[in-house]
Amino acid sequence: MTTVGFIYPDHAAEDDYPLAERMLGDGLSLPVEHIYGTDLHAVPELLDLGSPERLAEGARLLAKHEPDAVIWACTSGSFVYRPDGARTQADQLAAAAGVPASSTSFAFTEAAKALGLHRVAVAASYPDDVAKLFVEFLGAAGVEVVAMGSEDIDTAAEVGRLEPDKVVDLALRHDHRRADAVLIPDTAMRTLALVNTIEDQLGKPVLTANQVTIWHGLRLAGDSRTSQDLGALFATGTGS
């Protein structure tokens, strides 16, 4: 049994995780524990949300599940710390959890590396100033953002209420002909059931926050299982 624990902020799209558990087959547990703060997409609030104290509480909540790895399932609450700060954040979480740990921001850069992506388009739900920090984070990892769209949605709760057709439209509108893939960086957005649909329409890979978070967590736990239901990232055991 592989167990990967996820620290998830507040409530929005956490039902993507039990959905992934069903999609990925037997011998897998993806428990989610919640920490709470404001769900506002604003830099001071995001820095507070990803603080060592809050993540240590998440690690304590996950301990009963005996996870093989732990992921901070929040993109903005990790990249807002910038690359060096996000690495410190992940290292502190690993120390608190006693197992390998990371965050969704690093999941994106690792997934891009695994797929050999060099130029991407970003379809962000965040306000523009927050979205630009994600672009900066990707750039520091050697991923060029050739186009960025920001929807200026203020809270995670609003993102979690987006209908599936709106999520698909978001990805399609913010694609770019020079992009190798489209990245959708918000774990508050339900995307797992839509990844293949979006890829079929784009004709290229799509990386979404909950998708890469689960993929990265599995790899940290030494599990390289594949799926035909979760996009190009999961299709061939890339990064195993």
Side-chain angles (χ1 to χ4, degrees), residues 133 137 150 185 196 228:
L133 292 176
F137 192 94
S150 54
N196 282 3
Q228 298 305 307

Side-chain angles (χ1 to χ4, degrees), residues 1 13 18 25 33 42 52-53 66 79 83 88 95 101 123 152 158 194 219-221 226:
M1 171 70 74
E33 294 289 349
E53 296 77 17
E66 300 183 350
F79 70 66
T88 298
D152 202 31
E158 293 172 86
L194 303 172
R219 271 55 186 175
L220 279 184
T226 62

Side-chain angles (χ1 to χ4, degrees), residues 6-11 32-38 48-62 72-74 89:
F6 299 93
I7 302 170
Y8 192 93
D10 293 279
H11 296 275
V32 175
E33 294 289 349
H34 298 268
I35 59 172
Y36 297 95
T38 178
D48 175 69
L49 189 62
S51 68
E53 296 77 17
R54 290 190 188 276
L55 296 190
E57 172 61 18
R60 286 192 291 273
L61 292 169
L62 282 169
W72 169 218
C74 183
Q89 182 189 60

Side-chain angles (χ1 to χ4, degrees), residues 129-146:
D129 63 326
V130 175
K132 285 177 177 175
L133 292 176
F134 183 55
V135 171
E136 177 187 302
F137 192 94
L138 293 171
V143 180
E144 179 188 358
V145 176
V146 296

Side-chain angles (χ1 to χ4, degrees), residues 66-83:
E66 300 183 350
D68 301 300
V70 167
I71 305 285
W72 169 218
C74 183
T75 326
S76 55
S78 45
F79 70 66
V80 74
Y81 279 82
R82 309 293 177 87

Side-chain angles (χ1 to χ4, degrees), residues 4-7 55-56 58-59 62 67-73 86-107 110 213 216-221:
V4 181
F6 299 93
I7 302 170
L55 296 190
L62 282 169
D68 301 300
V70 167
I71 305 285
W72 169 218
R87 175 53 59 198
T88 298
Q89 182 189 60
D91 290 345
Q92 290 173 333
L93 177 56
V99 295
S102 191
S103 68
T104 303
S105 292
F106 287 119
E110 289 299 311
T213 298
H216 188 39
L218 287 171
R219 271 55 186 175
L220 279 184

Side-chain angles (χ1 to χ4, degrees), residues 27-201:
L28 178 64
S29 177
L30 303 177
V32 175
E33 294 289 349
H34 298 268
I35 59 172
Y36 297 95
T38 178
D39 70 345
L40 191 65
H41 288 146
V43 171
E45 285 79 7
L46 292 168
L47 288 169
D48 175 69
L49 189 62
S51 68
E53 296 77 17
R54 290 190 188 276
L55 296 190
E57 172 61 18
R60 286 192 291 273
L61 292 169
L62 282 169
K64 61 180 177 289
H65 302 286
E66 300 183 350
D68 301 300
V70 167
I71 305 285
W72 169 218
C74 183
T75 326
S76 55
S78 45
F79 70 66
V80 74
Y81 279 82
R82 309 293 177 87
D84 289 345
R87 175 53 59 198
T88 298
Q89 182 189 60
D91 290 345
Q92 290 173 333
L93 177 56
V99 295
S102 191
S103 68
T104 303
S105 292
F106 287 119
F108 270 108
T109 59
E110 289 299 311
K113 184 188 304 181
L115 289 176
L117 305 177
H118 302 290
R119 294 177 300 276
V120 303
V122 170
S125 55
Y126 316 124
D128 190 69
D129 63 326
V130 175
K132 285 177 177 175
L133 292 176
F134 183 55
V135 171
E136 177 187 302
F137 192 94
L138 293 171
V143 180
E144 179 188 358
V145 176
V146 296
M148 183 199 80
S150 54
E151 294 294 291
D152 202 31
I153 300 176
D154 286 329
T155 68
E158 293 172 86
V159 174
R161 291 194 291 269
L162 290 175
E163 294 295 330
D165 62 322
K166 299 295 185 185
V167 175
V168 173
D169 178 66
L170 174 80
L172 300 182
R173 281 190 292 108
H174 296 305
D175 185 23
H176 189 279
R177 60 180 178 78
R178 293 184 58 232
D180 302 324
V182 173
L183 277 55
I184 307 176
D186 196 338
T187 58
M189 192 182 298
R190 291 179 178 84
T191 58
L192 288 197
L194 303 172
V195 172
N196 282 3
T197 296
I198 299 171
E199 286 194 346
D200 287 345
Q201 294 193 42

